[in-house]
Amino acid sequence: MAEKRELILAFESSCDETSVAVIENGHHILSNIIATQIKSHQRFGGVVPEVASRHHVEQITRCTEQALAEANVTYSDLTAVAVTYGPGLVGALLIGVTAAKAIAYAHHLPLVPVNHMAGHIYAARFVAPLAYPLLALLVSGGHTELVYMPAAGEFEIIGDTRDDAAGEAYDKIGRVLGVPYPAGKEIDRLAHLGQDTFNFPRAMLKEPNLDFSFSGLKSAFINTVHHADQIGEQLDKADLAASFQASVIEVLVTKTLKAAQKLQVKQLVVAGGVAANQGLREALTSAIQAQMPELQLILPPLRLCGDNGAMIGAAAHIALRKGTLADLTLNAIPGLDFPYQAEI
């Protein structure tokens, strides 16, 4: 018997991407329209919330029309509407939430609220079916977390950053190196050309917990560059980038494999913007082959590592099956988070 056709119209507007997608049965992308704002924010060296909100207002109707047209569906074909309601920038989130509520109300469709970070994890659903229990390493501009999933749609944070997220640290040291925002891709490229000659600290590597800290690394990097400037010494940019990235990756890989071994998970999903980092992908792949060859590593394609509506539609498929729905009182929750698990 053929699978019943489920069509979810999914909205993502948590930061500086306006995205609308149509997802069929939770794993087939019919359309995934993304309007990026990177060029608007580059001159400021980071995302300006008011500018982001204005762009979302301008783009969201056009993206919706384009998503439906590309998927060759109409509102009457839809099963549900899904939207990111947190975490993120409150003004930006409200644009997507308002658009989704309006469409759900006008077309008598169920409204599915989605945690943005759950969306990043479920981007892996487009690569392979997920098998539980699984572990997700979430690495983005605002988050560096280890998330344990005992079952579909269930999330527990078992490790978190105490200060800067990994992506945030990349952007901050990028300014010192003179790399334009967002800095991650260029630092990754430079790192592949240099050597780890500076031996920057590996924070919290030996501690028994699964938490992270990148503020000390960022400070050590900035102090090294400033000291060299003061004495007129020219440092190699590629070696600086390689040394910084080596520290970040060693901590991420070590802690992640430690958690995977403790929890005896079947799969490891790497999610979020920093999941596009080639150095991290290479290091995790080789470490798993050497230490845990039975662990299945799922890396979303690069186009689904950034913010996009497709991942929200994939997460909404699970939420819809679990009956997790919202009414028209749904509001943006900028500080939304998964629950924490105290010990593992």
Side-chain angles (χ1 to χ4, degrees), residues 8-12 19-24 26-34 82 84 114 118-120 122-126 303-304 306-317:
I8 295 178
L9 179 69
F11 290 84
E12 159 57 37
S19 184
V20 185
V22 178
I23 303 302
E24 183 177 10
H27 60 83
H28 184 206
I29 301 173
L30 298 185
S31 62
N32 188 27
I33 308 303
I34 303 169
T84 298
V114 175
H120 273 304
Y122 273 100
R125 186 73 178 77
F126 298 114
R303 65 191 172 87
L304 296 180
D307 296 346
N308 65 89
M311 70 185 196
I312 303 305
H317 169 74

Side-chain angles (χ1 to χ4, degrees), residues 155-187:
F155 309 89
E156 300 170 5
I157 295 176
I158 57 169
D160 198 0
T161 183
R162 302 279 181 90
D163 39 60
D164 290 356
E168 190 179 1
Y170 269 90
D171 286 332
K172 286 179 178 176
I173 70 112
R175 288 175 204 157
V176 177
L177 278 182
V179 174
Y181 170 88
K185 187 175 180 180
E186 177 61 11
I187 291 171

Side-chain angles (χ1 to χ4, degrees), residues 287-305:
I288 286 170
Q289 284 172 352
Q291 299 176 44
M292 297 185 71
E294 72 287 352
L295 179 65
Q296 183 186 6
L297 174 64
I298 304 181
L299 297 161
L302 298 184
R303 65 191 172 87
L304 296 180
C305 288

Side-chain angles (χ1 to χ4, degrees), residues 70-87:
E70 192 173 296
N72 196 27
V73 300
T74 64
Y75 288 116
S76 61
D77 298 317
L78 297 175
T79 308
V81 180
V83 64
T84 298
Y85 72 111

Side-chain angles (χ1 to χ4, degrees), residues 214-232:
F214 296 107
S215 182
L217 166 62
K218 174 199 69 183
S219 297
F221 183 98
I222 293 171
N223 290 341
T224 299
V225 174
H226 284 174
H227 177 69
D229 287 345
Q230 287 166 356
I231 63 173

